[in-house]
Amino acid sequence: MNHEALAAHIRAVPDFPRPGILFRDITPLLASPPAFTAATAALAERILVHRPSALVAIESRGFLFGAALAQRLGLPLLLVRKPGKLPSATTAIEYQLEYGSDRLEIHVDAVQSGSRCAIIDDVLATGGTAAATAELVRSRGGEVACLAFLLELDALGGRNRLGAATVESLLHF
Ligand code: AMP
């Protein structure tokens, strides 16, 4: 399935969750087995080049792709979650969203020192979430092998917040 066909499975929803936000809804892609499989396969190929030793998936839609990719690539799946969700000892970081601000947590023992982490999420918007996750990974002694997204909202310039880290986005809007 080519990129145009994949992009046709992303629905644009105006004014969600707030007026002025054009929300990119991935649920049609998830509901299409050929599209979800093609997207996962293409992302896996793009990630593999960076020789990751673990995947770090961001709550919540990043978990969907993170889980599929971890199985496909045979890599450990580490979770970055919203506050109060992870049961064991955590470390946290504050970050800005396109709409609001929040905090992210990771288990203190999740990242092996020196491991090459590929950070996974569905959408790269302003880059605040991804930048915070990269900082969390580095604060635990991990390297950021790459950051991979199903889609990137180019006009928001999110990749500029990610410094020299490699960004792999399958689709651009
Ligand atoms: P950001 O920190 O601005 O890059 O926001 C990224 C996170 O917010 C991702 O986890 C996305 O799931 C979600 N997000 C932000 N903006 C949008 C949007 N316009 N459409 C869909 N998801 C979005």
Side-chain angles (χ1 to χ4, degrees):
M1 188 177 295
N2 65 29
H3 284 188
E4 220 169 66
L6 275 182
H9 289 82
I10 308 296
R11 173 166 54 194
V13 183
D15 300 322
F16 182 88
R18 285 193 194 161
I21 303 289
L22 182 61
F23 193 83
R24 303 292 175 168
D25 174 20
I26 63 164
T27 62
L29 182 139
L30 299 174
S32 161
F36 192 20
T37 303
T40 309
L43 268 176
E45 218 171 273
R46 300 271 290 266
I47 290 165
L48 207 51
V49 175
H50 305 290
R51 299 175 291 104
S53 56
L55 302 182
V56 176
I58 305 174
E59 186 168 1
S60 59
R61 289 180 297 275
F63 289 177
L64 303 167
F65 293 94
L69 288 163
Q71 293 222 328
R72 183 176 276 269
L73 295 171
L75 289 172
L77 178 62
L78 318 181
L79 304 184
V80 165
R81 300 207 63 179
K82 290 165 185 161
K85 302 279 190 177
L86 288 169
S88 190
T90 58
T91 184
I93 191 164
E94 297 284 339
Y95 71 108
Q96 298 296 314
L97 270 179
E98 187 184 359
Y99 36 86
S101 80
D102 215 336
R103 237 168 105 87
L104 289 174
E105 295 182 351
I106 193 167
H107 275 147
V108 292
D109 61 356
V111 176
Q112 302 286 302
S113 183
S115 64
R116 291 179 53 78
C117 296
I119 294 171
I120 314 293
D121 206 355
D122 63 334
V123 173
L124 174 60
T126 65
T129 309
T133 301
E135 206 174 319
L136 264 185
V137 164
R138 293 188 184 111
S139 77
R140 303 313 303 165
E143 281 177 47
V144 176
C146 67
L147 299 105
F149 305 91
L150 175 68
L151 67 95
E152 178 172 350
L153 305 178
D154 293 340
L156 296 179
R159 68 170 56 216
N160 299 330
R161 290 177 70 171
L162 301 176
T166 306
V167 177
E168 297 284 2
S169 302
L170 206 53
L171 305 173
H172 292 266
F173 287 90

